[in-house]
Amino acid sequence: MSPSVLRTAPRQVDGLKWDINSLIDGIPLYKLLYGGRIPTFRSSADLASALIVDKSYFARGFPSNWMTPRLHAALTARQVEFATTSGTTSDRMQVIRKKDWWQDEYRRTYRYNPRMVDFEVGTDHKALLTTAICSNTVCYLEQAPYDDRILNNALYLNTTADPNQWRKSDLERMCGEIARFQPIYIDADPAYLTLFLHLCAVHGVTVPYPLPRYITLSYEMTTQFCRRYIQARWPVPTYDLYGATEIGYLYLQADDGTLTRSRDLSLVELAPYNVEHDLYYLIVTSVKNEYMPLIRYRIGDLVKVPGGRDHIAAKSSHDDVPIAYFCGRAGDVRRAKSGRPITAGDVDHALSPATDQVLLYQITVLADDEIVFRYVPVSDQELSRGDRETLTQCLVDIFGSPCHIRFTRERAIAPEISGKFATLK
Amino acid sequence: MMQTRLSGPTIAANVDPAERQSKPLTTSVRGDFPLLIRESTTGRPSVYLDNAATTLKPQPVIDAISAYYREYTSNVGRANHQFAEIVNAKFESCRENVASFMGAKKREVIFTSGCTDSINLASMLLNLERDDEVVVSILEHHSNYLPWQSRARVKTVLTDGTGVIDLDRLRDAITPRTRLVALTYLSNVTGNVQPVREAIRIARERGVLVFIDAAQAMGHFPVDVTELGCDFLAFSAHKMLGPTGVGVLYIREDLHRHLRPVRYGGGMVSNIKHGAVTYRDGPAMFEAGTPNIEGILAFGAAVSYIQRLGLPAIAQRLNELEQYGWKQLSQFEELIFPFPRHADHAAIFTFRPRSETCDLSFLVQILSDTYGIALNQGYQCSQPLYEWRGVRGAIRTSLYFYNTFSEIDQLVDGLRELRPFFA
Ligand SMILES: Cc1ncc(COP(=O)(O)O)c(C=O)c1O
């Protein structure tokens, strides 16, 4: 998608804490974007004159589009590290940043949660349970030994490409490693942690004690089913943590469930996607990565902001606007018969009160009035007739009638190429 | 079969003007490959330089697969209805065609599911025992190493200073326990063409059977099994324009009577009476079950396509690409070519930055996402070779006849711009 001007400018009148113009000075991508006439950004209100840019634009022409003498010098001095966002060739993005950039980002972010503020990044033990990292420099796939998977006192637990394939021995290994490493904090992909706890129960593998002091759920949208399942088995404070490789973190949940903006070096705007249904694009200006500052980046995710119009009008900054929940990718939005947008987040919030017997699910809209609800049940049973009826009613309410819902119970739902699980396809 | 020619402005744009005059082969064929004329997402032409992994498919090959589904679906060798007649005739004419392509008799061509499958099948047919010795070279793909290693004692012969198997060492490696010498014709990592003729002569003088892995050679230059005098030879269709899931195992005819089938199923027996089985002779004895019919028909189309262009012309074109590629890539002082380039060298270049810490996968991703260039990175299923040379992976660029000088230039430009990443 090409850059576009956002019509409704955020009402932000404060002075910017960072000098955007000097940060983007000399970066070819911005010169190209503005044809050499880069606006002056003195206050955040000035950002309204900047173009909104999608990932495909930022990803294009890497690295020359970002090359400045400063970056060149840092590269030559080997002061940088590389990363790639998940996705296939057409939507992945290469990122170059200062070495150990995440360590700083963790420090910046954890401060926003009173419980996590004490976590000593790099010293205290943290374990990660998500897709197995595999690049040319590190590969945690297959039999990477325990010691090799500890980086800055963070232990990477998973060594399998598809968590559905975890065998009893994998679960025992991971539990053994948790017991040995004693992380006080676990950062997990919600679907992976759900499967981990579920499969441990199925295979009779004892999950180690003491439990971590807290958990963050990151990497993909947390479904309410996963959250409930995790909380029931691991009753420790569990926080959603929202971020991405190219921007770092933007939101961290608090004990009362509200999402706190971790505001350092970034500024969020909520751009209307569908105001009537309180859906907004998340747009971020992030200067956390000095070599790749992203000005008005449309991440592609949607958020639910109840009463969004009024909130946005009342607050001086969109950073202060309370977000109810994340709705997933704009690209995954479906339409109800009425034309109303259906997001993964909305579906999830509508379905979760219906039953607690669903572990993972995936909804496929086959034709206008034919929907398949694939699910992995919590117990070894099919969903009861009552549960199916309630779910059917929820889905009909969402998609509109007539609508035929087919339930199929699955042993496993395969992750996407990125390793993440799609709930709405 | 009708050959669809897709031509458009992109083709002309992709071809160097100088080449357009002097290299009719490239210009005339590019339009046959849908992937070469597709618009790329990078804003630059897509450049496919991972041909040693698999080649692109021309339209006649794609058409052959769909014609089987659209026009005459049938099993083969099991019926005589109208469709079956067509399929039987086409299938056997493919075998004939493949046989003549490689200088074999039709009866000597056994269809398999790929080169790896052919090697595994041969290793089973040979009925090896644990103490038997199989001599291989250090250059072998895991496919021509593991099947032997799982059944017998493997002896590995190193290369000489020029990058080809050391023939003196090969001579020394053969003992009375040696059942087989199994060698690659052309290394998929170094690109060096091996002196297989001499190796075959040495083995035969000692009464030892020879197996040739021709995965990288077939379709690149003329290969004639009769002239070579090898006993077995294997290759995959997909590395020479054909589909995946099809391969060939050549077995010299006079060996057939010494071999017993190792896979059983339909299509391989002439009769079973009172439990006594009479096997059909020829390839049928080794091809149990329904084969990959559409794949084999498409493979036939690939062979015809290559024959139409002519292997000598293809070989010449590859040689020009090799010369130009080497001239352009060897300019980079920051790159090392860890394996010697032999005088007889294919258009395969394997290199890596001098810097040990350079993240090759990241580099290859940028070359793909920004520059539209498909390359290979890692160990190319040849870890013993990398281990021996103490090299921690490399980037491989491998060309086929449809590649152009300007595509090599596009790679060189990309590398030049990425210098800060590996200098
Ligand atoms: C020299 C060589 N031998 C064998 C093979 C295995 O071929 P396939 O994977 O098609 O069975 C390859 C494939 O790269 C190869 O290059």
Side-chain angles (χ1 to χ4, degrees):
Chain A
M1 217 181 288
S2 55
S4 60
V5 177
L6 177 61
R7 268 183 264 277
T8 48
R11 275 202 359 200
Q12 284 166 325
V13 288
D14 56 318
L16 278 173
K17 290 182 219 79
W18 353 284
D19 180 353
I20 289 188
N21 285 93
S22 76
L23 281 167
I24 64 175
D25 185 40
I27 296 180
L29 184 128
Y30 287 105
K31 281 193 203 155
L32 274 170
L33 190 58
Y34 292 102
R37 287 185 299 278
I38 297 176
T40 307
F41 303 112
R42 252 178 262 101
S43 72
S44 43
D46 291 340
L47 275 178
S49 57
L51 296 165
I52 292 184
V53 184
D54 289 316
K55 189 178 189 179
S56 58
Y57 191 86
F58 280 129
R60 203 176 302 166
F62 181 95
S64 31
N65 271 353
W66 297 98
M67 198 52 74
T68 57
R70 251 173 3 103
L71 174 55
H72 194 277
L75 255 172
T76 317
R78 301 193 197 293
Q79 290 163 347
V80 290
E81 62 181 26
F82 311 111
T84 305
T85 66
S86 59
T88 49
T89 312
S90 55
D91 61 0
R92 69 183 178 195
M93 171 174 171
Q94 273 82 33
V95 175
I96 184 165
R97 60 194 181 207
K98 173 173 155 265
K99 263 212 171 102
D100 287 330
W101 180 88
W102 273 113
Q103 300 298 101
D104 292 340
E105 181 61 3
Y106 296 144
R107 278 187 205 100
R108 283 192 284 263
T109 308
Y110 299 162
R111 291 192 296 112
Y112 287 88
N113 179 300
R115 219 180 286 269
M116 296 179 70
V117 66
D118 293 333
F119 187 85
E120 284 278 347
V121 174
T123 307
D124 286 342
H125 284 193
K126 154 168 138 182
L128 292 97
L129 184 62
T130 175
T131 45
I133 300 177
C134 194
S135 74
N136 198 249
T137 39
V138 287
C139 190
Y140 300 146
L141 269 178
E142 289 158 23
Q143 288 119 9
Y146 171 79
D147 288 332
D148 290 4
R149 282 182 280 110
I150 300 174
L151 225 73
N152 294 320
N153 273 327
L155 167 67
Y156 291 79
L157 286 166
N158 181 24
T159 60
T160 309
D162 176 356
N164 291 304
Q165 303 303 318
W166 283 331
R167 289 159 305 182
K168 188 173 184 194
S169 56
D170 295 308
L171 301 162
E172 284 168 344
R173 174 189 59 74
M174 289 191 272
C175 287
E177 288 178 359
I178 293 173
R180 177 172 171 196
F181 191 66
Q182 304 226 333
I184 59 171
Y185 159 34
I186 291 188
D187 177 41
D189 177 305
Y192 283 58
L193 183 52
T194 302
L195 275 174
F196 171 74
L197 294 172
H198 178 65
L199 292 172
C200 279
V202 168
H203 291 293
V205 177
T206 318
V207 175
Y209 205 82
L211 299 177
R213 281 188 222 154
Y214 40 82
I215 301 168
T216 54
L217 299 177
S218 196
Y219 308 98
E220 63 178 298
M221 193 186 84
T222 304
T223 67
Q224 296 307 299
F225 292 109
C226 284
R227 168 172 277 276
R228 255 196 330 241
Y229 188 87
I230 294 166
Q231 295 251 261
R233 269 122 203 115
W234 268 4
V236 298
T238 300
Y239 309 114
D240 274 353
L241 178 58
Y242 175 87
T245 308
E246 65 277 26
I247 48 171
Y249 295 121
L250 294 183
Y251 290 91
L252 173 57
Q253 215 170 17
D255 273 323
D256 65 1
T258 57
L259 292 160
T260 311
R261 259 286 286 137
S262 49
R263 297 170 182 233
D264 303 45
L265 304 175
S266 63
L267 202 140
V268 152
E269 291 172 55
L270 301 167
Y273 175 82
N274 185 309
V275 175
E276 192 191 336
H277 294 103
D278 298 328
L279 290 173
Y280 292 82
Y281 278 117
L282 257 186
I283 292 180
V284 64
T285 292
S286 168
V287 298
K288 293 176 184 184
N289 178 355
E290 61 196 289
Y291 303 116
M292 294 179 73
L294 304 175
I295 312 303
R296 293 196 105 191
Y297 167 39
R298 174 157 51 197
I299 304 164
D301 282 341
L302 298 177
V303 289
K304 189 78 162 182
V305 188
R309 206 190 323 238
D310 298 340
H311 274 303
I312 288 169
K315 304 282 186 204
S316 62
S317 154
H318 292 195
D319 288 310
D320 299 327
V321 173
I323 282 176
Y325 53 84
F326 299 102
C327 291
R329 315 284 306 162
D332 294 337
V333 169
R334 298 290 165 148
R335 296 276 157 186
K337 289 204 164 53
S338 61
R340 175 194 164 169
I342 301 170
T343 70
D346 286 331
V347 172
D348 190 62
H349 275 78
L351 296 185
S352 66
T355 170
D356 55 5
Q357 287 305 306
V358 169
L359 199 67
L360 301 175
Y361 69 92
Q362 186 171 74
I363 294 168
T364 316
V365 183
L366 288 184
D368 230 14
D369 42 17
E370 178 147 28
I371 290 169
V372 181
F373 185 86
R374 304 173 60 216
Y375 67 96
V376 178
V378 167
S379 65
D380 207 17
Q381 311 285 316
E382 296 228 331
L383 285 177
S384 69
R385 178 195 282 246
D387 280 351
R388 288 204 307 265
E389 279 170 6
T390 322
L391 284 168
T392 300
Q393 194 50 54
C394 291
L395 288 164
V396 172
D397 289 347
I398 297 167
F399 286 92
S401 72
C403 169
H404 176 71
I405 318 285
R406 185 147 48 89
F407 288 88
T408 64
R409 177 191 156 194
E410 307 283 353
R411 278 191 179 282
I413 289 176
E416 304 295 295
I417 301 173
S418 59
K420 299 175 189 178
F421 288 81
T423 58
L424 190 57
K425 278 187 100 166
Chain B
M1 176 152 311
M2 278 282 292
Q3 186 178 320
T4 321
R5 280 206 179 267
L6 300 172
S7 49
T10 345
I11 313 162
N14 281 3
V15 179
D16 196 52
E19 276 187 288
R20 213 176 301 160
Q21 320 247 295
S22 59
K23 310 293 179 310
L25 181 85
T26 307
T27 2
S28 60
V29 298
R30 286 181 68 88
D32 294 337
F33 292 82
L35 269 176
L36 288 177
I37 54 177
R38 201 185 60 139
E39 217 165 286
S40 88
T41 51
T42 60
R44 303 175 201 234
S46 292
V47 176
Y48 186 77
L49 298 179
D50 193 15
N51 292 286
T54 196
T55 60
L56 302 180
K57 319 303 170 198
Q59 194 62 44
V61 169
I62 300 167
D63 291 344
I65 294 187
S66 61
Y68 171 76
Y69 292 129
R70 288 166 182 274
E71 295 167 31
Y72 36 76
T73 300
S74 159
N75 207 322
V76 66
R78 284 147 170 85
N80 62 357
H81 55 75
Q82 193 188 353
F83 291 164
E85 296 276 311
I86 300 173
V87 170
N88 289 343
K90 282 185 178 290
F91 191 88
E92 285 312 314
S93 110
C94 278
R95 199 191 299 273
E96 186 77 62
N97 204 8
V98 172
S100 115
F101 179 70
M102 59 194 289
K105 294 179 201 142
K106 189 177 165 196
R107 302 163 51 74
E108 295 174 322
V109 173
I110 295 150
F111 287 127
T112 65
S113 72
C115 186
T116 304
D117 188 42
S118 299
I119 302 172
N120 277 280
L121 176 58
S123 73
M124 288 189 266
L125 288 168
L126 279 169
N127 208 9
L128 294 165
E129 287 173 15
R130 270 272 143 233
D131 282 347
D132 288 338
E133 289 172 1
V134 174
V135 176
V136 302
S137 83
I138 189 72
L139 298 165
E140 303 313 317
H141 188 281
H142 293 168
S143 289
N144 196 29
Y145 178 78
L146 299 175
W148 310 120
Q149 198 234 16
S150 72
R151 294 190 160 77
R153 201 141 20 105
V154 165
K155 276 184 158 178
T156 304
V157 178
L158 301 181
T159 52
D160 63 18
T162 69
V164 295
I165 180 168
D166 187 321
L167 293 171
D168 291 331
R169 285 191 167 140
L170 172 66
R171 213 170 267 117
D172 294 346
I174 297 174
T175 71
R177 290 228 57 98
T178 307
R179 289 281 313 280
L180 184 79
V181 170
L183 298 177
T184 181
Y185 202 140
L186 198 173
S187 160
N188 64 309
V189 177
T190 70
N192 289 327
V193 180
Q194 300 302 301
V196 287
R197 258 169 244 279
E198 292 80 347
I200 292 167
R201 195 173 39 75
I202 291 168
R204 298 209 85 170
E205 276 169 13
R206 307 281 291 274
V208 172
L209 296 171
V210 185
F211 183 101
I212 299 297
D213 170 0
Q216 297 294 338
M218 249 4 185
H220 290 67
F221 50 79
V223 173
D224 185 312
V225 283
T226 313
E227 200 190 305
L228 279 178
C230 57
D231 302 286
F232 302 87
L233 183 140
F235 61 98
S236 284
H238 72 92
K239 292 184 197 283
M240 46 170 290
L241 310 181
T244 50
V246 178
V248 165
L249 173 62
Y250 157 82
I251 306 180
R252 197 157 50 78
E253 190 181 13
D254 47 354
L255 291 175
H256 287 208
R257 65 196 153 86
H258 301 292
L259 304 171
R260 305 257 35 89
V262 289
R263 292 169 176 173
Y264 302 90
M268 64 180 306
V269 292
S270 40
N271 66 67
I272 306 181
K273 244 192 195 138
H274 310 302
V277 185
T278 316
Y279 295 106
R280 291 168 63 190
D281 59 1
M285 182 167 74
F286 308 105
E287 294 174 348
T290 301
N292 177 355
I293 304 169
E294 62 276 41
I296 290 166
L297 299 185
F299 175 37
V303 170
S304 302
Y305 187 92
I306 288 175
Q307 281 168 329
R308 227 172 12 249
L309 298 181
L311 273 172
I314 289 175
Q316 191 204 329
R317 176 64 188 157
L318 285 169
N319 192 37
E320 288 160 1
L321 289 165
E322 195 279 337
Q323 302 276 325
Y324 187 74
W326 175 250
K327 184 174 132 233
Q328 295 300 91
L329 288 169
S330 58
Q331 308 164 17
F332 286 90
E333 292 208 335
E334 306 85 345
L335 299 179
I336 51 169
F337 292 77
F339 311 104
R341 171 176 172 252
H342 188 255
D344 195 356
H345 184 252
I348 296 179
F349 304 101
T350 299
F351 56 84
R352 60 162 297 131
R354 263 177 217 291
S355 154
E356 280 281 310
T357 54
C358 180
D359 186 336
L360 296 187
S361 72
F362 191 70
L363 203 59
V364 166
Q365 264 184 9
I366 306 175
L367 284 163
S368 157
D369 294 4
T370 301
Y371 299 90
I373 303 169
L375 296 165
N376 194 285
Q377 170 268 131
Y379 296 89
Q380 294 88 36
C381 300
S382 303
Q383 288 186 18
L385 173 65
Y386 275 94
E387 189 189 12
W388 176 49
R389 305 299 298 202
V391 182
R392 288 177 50 209
I395 296 174
R396 179 183 72 185
T397 170
S398 53
L399 297 97
Y400 206 25
F401 60 81
Y402 40 68
N403 288 123
T404 65
F405 288 5
S406 52
E407 290 182 324
I408 296 173
D409 293 341
Q410 196 168 323
L411 169 63
V412 167
D413 290 347
L415 286 169
R416 217 172 261 145
E417 282 178 40
L418 293 178
R419 258 194 177 121
F421 283 78
F422 57 80

